[in-house]
Amino acid sequence: MAEKMLGGAGASRTSYQRYPRVRIREMKDDYLKFELRDTDASMANALRRVMLAEVPTIAIDLVEIEVNSSVLNDEFIAHRLGLIPLTSDDAMSMRFSRDCDACDGDGQCEFCSVEFFLSVRCDSDQTLDVTSADLQSTNPRVCPVDVAANALSSAADGYESAEQKGIIIVKLRRGQELRLRAIARKGIGKDHAKWSPAATVTFMYEPQIHINEDLMETLTLEDKRSWVESSPTKVFGIDPNTQQLVVIDAEAYTYDDEVIKKAEAMGKPGLIEIYPKEDSFIFTVESTGAIKASHLVINAIDILKQKLDAVRLQDEESDMKELTSHLGNL
């Protein structure tokens, strides 16, 4: 587990909203679970929204189809190509095509775009699957995510399994052909969902649970079991040795108030108190694979800092104009 403060080393602990801390609980390439503490819901939600809609990735944005005799029309195939996640480790350093002054938008630019080519023809009686593995990239660092994952898996195992065929684009029968050129560009999820690097980003308030031990002692074992079973998720349990109620997994609580209602129905109001810690959040982040989940969070924090710096600079310029105007009237 790791913990990091998102502020300066001399940050004051009194203004906790400005210096949140992050504690990593679990981290994989496509999954990250962490705690965000010492802040409020506005910061947590801002971070979540930036991860979903503001962190850039690379996705196919333009498709030029030369030959298509498949059962799917051109627009359908172009849409399917756009939704194939591409490895986007270099996305932060790339230029947006609208801001690139080194090209005219034809796709042959190393700064803002990557070209893909696909050419497949079926010459047998067996149905041919055209998949993401058939896409040929001009930049080896930008390719379909499943192709990159399969390459690593094959290198480790020494063979390619039947499941490593790639994402199906279209199926071809004898005599059918698909030939096209595609251009991938940098973008953000706010413009189109195909650029969103996140499959899921959620956060919840960390719950605090207090059991009234005196009231609990007045319950029979059968009453305790009935009360535990009233929770839709396995939050509580009964200790087999002491027969006492215990909290098994506080984070499984969904704020449904079922156990509170059950206690009231049993004539035991105040048996349990559950309330959220308003300065502590538990995040769960799942990546599409375009970038690692850890990089998704780090990039989102950097982008959020840039946006806050822009707001601060705008406020300072506004204050300076107001001061200049005031001095000019003296």
Side-chain angles (χ1 to χ4, degrees), residues 289-305:
I291 57 177
K292 292 182 179 180
S294 57
H295 294 172
L296 171 56
V297 176
I298 292 172
N299 291 348
I301 292 172
D302 289 340
I303 291 170
L304 187 56
K305 285 181 179 179

Side-chain angles (χ1 to χ4, degrees), residues 2 67 71 86 99 114 194-195 211 219 222 237 249 272 301 327:
V67 178
V71 295
L86 306 177
D99 300 328
V114 178
K194 67 184 178 184
W195 278 301
I211 299 175
L219 298 180
E222 189 62 31
D249 184 5
I272 188 166
I301 292 172
L327 292 175

Side-chain angles (χ1 to χ4, degrees), residues 251-272:
E251 293 173 19
Y253 184 66
T254 57
Y255 296 96
D256 47 61
D257 291 341
E258 290 297 325
V259 290
I260 296 175
K261 294 175 184 176
K262 179 65 174 179
E264 293 173 350
M266 296 170 64
K268 305 291 183 181
L271 178 66
I272 188 166

Side-chain angles (χ1 to χ4, degrees), residues 5-16 18-19:
M5 180 177 290
L6 305 183
S12 171
R13 299 298 298 160
T14 57
S15 55
Y16 64 88
R18 298 188 181 185
Y19 301 102

Side-chain angles (χ1 to χ4, degrees), residues 170-232:
V170 68
K171 293 175 181 284
L172 301 180
R173 296 302 300 269
R174 175 184 282 274
Q176 293 181 336
E177 182 180 5
L178 179 63
R179 189 165 67 248
L180 58 85
R181 169 179 176 260
I183 299 172
R185 293 172 175 148
K186 175 181 178 178
I188 57 176
K190 183 187 291 185
D191 296 331
H192 194 286
K194 67 184 178 184
W195 278 301
S196 178
T200 304
V201 180
T202 63
F203 72 83
M204 64 172 287
Y205 287 101
E206 184 176 356
Q208 281 189 319
I209 301 176
H210 297 284
I211 299 175
N212 189 316
E213 299 294 344
D214 294 333
L215 282 176
M216 197 59 68
E217 291 295 334
T218 64
L219 298 180
T220 65
L221 182 59
E222 189 62 31
D223 288 338
K224 292 178 181 178
R225 287 174 179 165
S226 176
W227 183 81
V228 168
E229 291 171 359
S230 69
S231 175

